[in-house]
């Protein structure tokens, strides 16, 4: 092991001694991804907590904010972006309406449908959360140069494309 080793290096080294017949290179990559995911999860939860949002609230509010003016989507569009069931989405919208972070409005293009619209308070909260989130994530990556970040992002994109289809 090199002077700059981590816990994954120690685990892989121990396994290699015990099972030299196996290729542990997948663990070298994916165990690190798993460990980094835990740090990211903590950082995200803290960013959302400081904005008084639950992670599921963030999912819905950020989808609305990313939609741009007038910050509204149909429940079906929200379902597609958040990958939850229609019953779950209805419950989430109800709870967000109760907190006055979104409101339901009649769809002017289809009187039978509704649109979910981000309120001013919802926008304030989601904007604060995204600011805190990118700040926290930047700290997680501060040991990497911009070039390293770009290369890592490209490699992770290459890996994830097959899963996102």
């Amino acid at each position: 092991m090199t002077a700059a080793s981590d816990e994954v290096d120690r685990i892989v080294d121990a396994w290699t001694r015990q099972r030299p017949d196996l290729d542990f290179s997948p663990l070298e990559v994916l165990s690190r991804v798993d460990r980094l995911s835990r740090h990211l999860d903590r950082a995200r939860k803290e960013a959302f907590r400081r904005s008084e949002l639950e992670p599921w609230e963030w999912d819905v509010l950020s989808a609305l904010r990313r939609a741009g003016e007038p910050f509204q989507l149909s429940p079906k569009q929200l379902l597609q972006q958040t990958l939850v069931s229609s019953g779950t989405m209805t419950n989430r919208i109800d709870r967000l309406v109760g907190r006055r972070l979104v409101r339901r409005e009649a769809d002017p293009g289809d009187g039978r449908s509704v649109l979910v619209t981000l309120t001013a308070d919802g926008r304030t909260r989601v904007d604060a959360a995204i600011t805190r989130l990118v700040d926290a994530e930047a700290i997680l990556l501060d040991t990497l140069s911009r070039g390293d970040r770009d290369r890592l992002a490209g490699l992770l994109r290459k890996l994830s494309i097959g899963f996102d289809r």
Side-chain angles (χ1 to χ4, degrees), residues 48 53-67 71-75 77-85 88-97 101-104 116-119 122-123 126:
F48 303 149
L53 294 175
E54 294 294 326
W56 67 265
E57 292 174 317
W58 160 258
D59 286 343
V60 176
L61 298 178
S62 67
L64 292 166
R65 181 65 171 97
R66 291 190 314 267
F71 309 115
Q72 61 185 199
L73 294 169
S74 69
Q77 290 170 312
L78 285 168
L79 282 172
Q80 292 167 339
Q81 291 196 33
T82 60
L83 303 175
V84 298
S85 71
T88 298
M89 182 53 66
T90 298
N91 180 272
R92 289 180 176 186
I93 293 168
D94 289 346
R95 291 171 68 188
L96 289 167
V97 167
L101 299 176
V102 303
R103 66 180 175 272
R104 286 186 175 92
V116 180
T117 304
L118 191 62
T119 65
R123 183 174 175 184
V126 76

Side-chain angles (χ1 to χ4, degrees), residues 29-47:
V29 174
L30 298 176
S31 290
R32 286 186 175 96
V33 169
D34 180 57
R35 287 169 178 268
L36 292 169
S37 174
R38 292 179 210 177
H39 290 287
L40 176 59
D41 188 48
R42 281 189 220 117
R44 286 183 168 189
K45 283 180 181 175
E46 178 61 15

